[in-house]
Amino acid sequence: MVRAVRQQQPDAVFHLGDCERDTQRLEKEFPDLPLYRVCGNCDREPVNPEVLQPTLDGVKFFLTHGHRYSVKYTLDALLNAAYFAGADIVLFGHTHRAVNETMQGLYVVNPGTAGVGAACTYACIETENGAIRTVGIRAIPGA
């Protein structure tokens, strides 16, 4: 993740759970970078919330790891929660499979995984004046 942040130089980073220690490294490497994070099912004694709903640049995000919404089987519960929260975009993890789609009027994004043993990817989301301009899945450099 550190390589991706160095390459992209984002305005903010979202961490969607599992390996909370990764967020500690990001905080150490980039102390001035806003870091939004949720806990995952593999985080022991989690310190982060299960859901976050920040608004950045006028875009309302719905962040969760996804395990509480059974995302390995269906996205229905997740989409319902994000819709009723008034989100413009929902970000989730848990499946470790990248997703970049629009469903029921929502952008639905799973960045994949930054972990070992799989194709390491991340999502890049560009916003402008309260709207989502682009969403893309990219490979982590050198991974």
Side-chain angles (χ1 to χ4, degrees), residues 4 11 16 28 70 95:
D11 294 327
L16 300 174
K28 184 178 179 183
S70 301
T95 66

Side-chain angles (χ1 to χ4, degrees), residues 53-103:
Q53 298 177 43
T55 299
L56 285 80
D57 193 25
V59 174
K60 186 163 185 183
F61 291 80
F62 186 96
L63 282 59
T64 188
H65 183 65
H67 61 295
R68 299 277 187 219
Y69 296 93
S70 301
V71 297
K72 285 188 177 180
Y73 308 104
T74 178
L75 297 181
D76 291 347
L78 176 63
L79 294 175
N80 191 50
Y83 175 80
F84 283 105
D88 300 301
I89 184 168
V90 58
L91 306 177
F92 71 101
H94 191 54
T95 66
H96 301 268
R97 289 186 306 253
V99 172
N100 179 11
E101 297 183 30
T102 303
M103 299 177 189

